[in-house]
Amino acid sequence: MATIVLFAALGLGSGALIASIALGVVLHYRGSGVINLSTGATAMLAGYLWWAMRTGFFGVALPTLPALAVTLVLVVLIGLLLEVAAFRPLQKASPLAKLVASLGLFLLLQSGILLIFGTSPLSAPAVLPSGSVTFLGISLSVAPFLLAAVVIVLVVLLSLVYRLSRFGLATRAASESEPYALLAGLSPQRLALANGALASLTAGLVGILAASVVGVNSSSLPLLIIPALAAALFARFTSFVIAGAAGLLIGMAESVLYYFSTQWWFPHLNGSPLPGVQQVLVFLLIVAALWWRGSSLPRRGEFVERSLPPVPRPDNLLRRAIVPTVVCAVALVVLPYDFRQATITGLVSTVLCLSFIVVTGYVGQLSVVQLALAGVAGFTVAHLGNSAGIGFPVAAVLGVVAATGLGLAIAVSALRVRGITLVVLTLAGADAIQKFVFANPEWGGGEGATKVQQPSLFGIDVGTDAGFRGLDGLLPSPVFGFFALAVVVALYMLVANLRRGDLGRRMLAVRSNERAAAASGVNVRAVKMTAFGLGSAIAGVAGVMFAYSYGTVSAGSYEIMACLALIAALYVLGITMVQGAVLAGFGATGAVLPLILQKWVFPENQIALWVQLFSALGLILQLNIFPEGVMAHMWRKRQRKAGVTTLEPATPRNEAIRPESPALLNASSPSASDGVAEAAGEVYRP
């Protein structure tokens, strides 16, 4: 027991950092109603700036106190700048748009840090005293205890300020009702800025203090937002005391789990302890928090849905698809091998983007687990072929089934929550799959790559090593490209026609207003589960195609950052339209557009970072100019030119929607009423 307590004390350092990020999340939510995914990246930014100020990276090495003051000022100023650029223009936008904006800031900060400081972890000079303290007869560094003390002081101060001061009371009033706050003479925008500055200061301060304890790492620090979100969930995004305590406890629990992994009774594989147990713990904590408090979570701004992107009905699908399909088929034959591989990658990425269209575009649920589900399908295909001798198409079908089953299991865990809270669960789920499954040599690929058997159908090789090699005679074979093209066209038609059918109308009703949809007779849970199942199956198809395309699968191919960058690009182009999926797919890492940039614009080893940076900048800029996305903006312009201002309800000509329909009474916008009205037209019969 003494050893367990000792390791729990050792976890106070990481726990303090998690708690400070959770406090920043709570501060930001109380001020503006935004779940800010970039709070962990703010702590990372503070750590890197502190290191730069102390080591003279920018030309001058400052002493401790001036460096601390300058770093905190820079962090707060950058936080205010990003607040003004990303969140203030979205004050009346949907919660989904605000969440995506925070995702853009997350990607922007991480890619910017990597491009400026490089990818290697840094050792920052210490701020806290370097003494030691005797605990349970063992000499330990005093720094983790001091960090925990700093967090406790911050919790007490923030609780007092928000309970007793005029500023705290004003923030509470604005969070409960912005219209009434305006009538009382309060400015929600100024309050949001002030709370955003406090959030940056809190996360930045502890990020600086913890830099010498937990290290400065651009990969791990931003992802501390995941356990911090778990702590914030337990706090209902409002309680500083619960958020701070939960953050400290999560850090301590992770340290104790590390100790358990060194024991003989802990599950081992090939002599090594089971990896990713800490990430699984965080995922389970989030599931528990959602089931415990999911129905009572605050939903500030939930009914402000005016800026949800439109979902127009696709028309003339075959005519629109013929020309791009022919061009792509010709390109697979005539282009050189590197562009042929990039075209295939673009096709496979398009399939993955189509899964986001279903889950996020049609149902309004932001899921970031799709790439991890694709990885599950890819590793399933690889292991079935190598261990059981099961090849195509049985292995491919089983891979898709595995991805679908896991996606549905995650969806079941989120049935008690609505809207943007789902991103917390799927983010933790993706991280847990990455560390627990993919990093495991037995279940995933560990540190290496797992070979994948090439597909053949009725004795005909349809893989990348098929006999027909295109005009240059090099691999990959265009045959697999033709196969991928056929899959893309089929799924493109499926997703586009889904929008035009009864299920698509019900999905739009759920996206618009879940309560109104339920009042209209729509089974909200069934629609959500169907959407997640279909989206997971499409993601599984993408994973199978990725595996066959590259011939190997590895844990590094399914990282969270790659998924977030793809979501950002898709939202920029149009997350509700199948055309946006095609454009985002061919702009994904390894596809045609990045290859062009890599060959003639940017260094080869930095192309992924530049794509991530441009996706983040484009996302923030697009949300300011036309928050519905490029394709949706162009569609609206065409509608206005044609004299059409709203979508026509998809009801038969001789049928009408009852005027007393609660769905229509609760619909708050043209885009919302379209979705609910379409579903209501199928439920209410005169």
Side-chain angles (χ1 to χ4, degrees), residues 37 117 201 221 275 314 327 358 385 398 401 432 434 437 439 462 475 524 530 558 564 647 686:
L37 300 180
F117 294 99
L201 181 63
L221 284 179
V327 170
V358 174
L398 293 177
V401 169
Q434 173 74 27
V437 179
V462 294
L475 295 177
V524 174
T530 303
Y558 305 102
L564 297 181
L647 293 173

Side-chain angles (χ1 to χ4, degrees), residues 14-32 34-36 38-40 42-43 147-160 162 171 194-207 224-248 250:
S14 60
L17 187 53
I18 293 170
S20 70
I21 297 173
L23 292 175
V25 171
V26 172
L27 280 165
H28 214 284
Y29 188 88
R30 292 182 70 150
S32 59
V34 177
I35 299 177
N36 190 356
S38 66
T39 310
T42 300
L147 275 174
V150 169
V151 168
I152 293 172
V153 171
L154 286 173
V155 167
V156 173
L157 289 176
L158 290 172
S159 299
L160 291 175
Y162 279 80
T171 299
N195 282 277
L198 277 176
S200 299
L201 181 63
T202 301
L205 174 61
V206 181
L224 286 178
I225 187 64
I226 300 175
L229 287 171
L233 273 172
F234 279 102
R236 295 184 65 245
F237 295 101
T238 56
S239 173
F240 297 114
V241 174
I242 296 177
L248 289 172
I250 289 173

Side-chain angles (χ1 to χ4, degrees), residues 302-533:
E302 183 179 90
F303 298 106
V304 185
E305 299 289 348
R306 285 187 296 275
S307 294
L308 279 175
V311 192
R313 292 187 196 83
D315 55 356
N316 301 319
L317 287 175
L318 287 176
R319 181 174 60 83
R320 293 176 183 272
I322 287 176
V323 174
T325 301
V326 172
V327 170
C328 190
V330 172
L332 288 168
V333 177
V334 303
L335 291 179
Y337 73 97
D338 51 352
F339 277 94
R340 185 158 57 246
Q341 179 62 62
T343 302
I344 294 174
T345 301
L347 290 170
V348 179
S349 299
T350 297
V351 174
L352 186 62
C353 289
L354 288 172
S355 72
F356 288 111
I357 298 291
V358 174
V359 177
T360 303
Y362 290 174
V363 191
Q365 307 289 309
L366 183 58
S367 169
V368 298
V369 77
Q370 307 304 102
L371 185 58
L373 296 178
V376 169
F379 277 110
T380 300
V381 168
H383 288 309
L384 287 176
N386 296 330
S387 302
I390 301 176
F392 185 85
V394 177
V397 172
L398 293 177
V400 174
V401 169
T404 305
L406 184 57
L408 288 173
I410 294 175
V412 168
S413 305
L415 286 180
R416 283 175 60 85
V417 298
R418 298 183 182 91
I420 60 175
T421 313
L422 177 68
V423 75
V424 180
L425 181 70
T426 56
L427 190 61
D431 192 38
I433 294 171
Q434 173 74 27
K435 302 297 194 305
F436 188 69
V437 179
F438 299 160
N440 189 306
E442 291 292 324
W443 302 340
E447 297 296 328
T450 304
K451 187 176 181 181
V452 178
Q453 296 181 3
Q454 287 298 307
S456 62
L457 188 63
F458 304 117
I460 302 174
D461 189 354
V462 294
T464 56
D465 57 356
F468 179 52
R469 304 294 173 87
L471 295 183
D472 60 359
L474 300 175
L475 295 177
S477 170
V479 174
F480 182 78
F482 298 148
F483 172 69
L485 180 60
V487 173
V488 168
V489 172
L491 291 177
Y492 179 95
M493 295 295 179
L494 172 66
V495 175
N497 280 291
L498 176 65
R499 161 64 184 90
R500 308 196 313 187
D502 174 66
L503 177 58
R505 291 192 290 271
R506 293 174 184 270
M507 287 180 176
L508 294 184
V510 171
R511 186 189 85 141
S512 302
N513 191 314
E514 290 187 19
R515 291 186 177 92
S520 301
V522 176
N523 189 329
V524 174
R525 292 195 172 193
V527 169
K528 281 187 177 182
M529 291 298 294
T530 303
F532 271 98

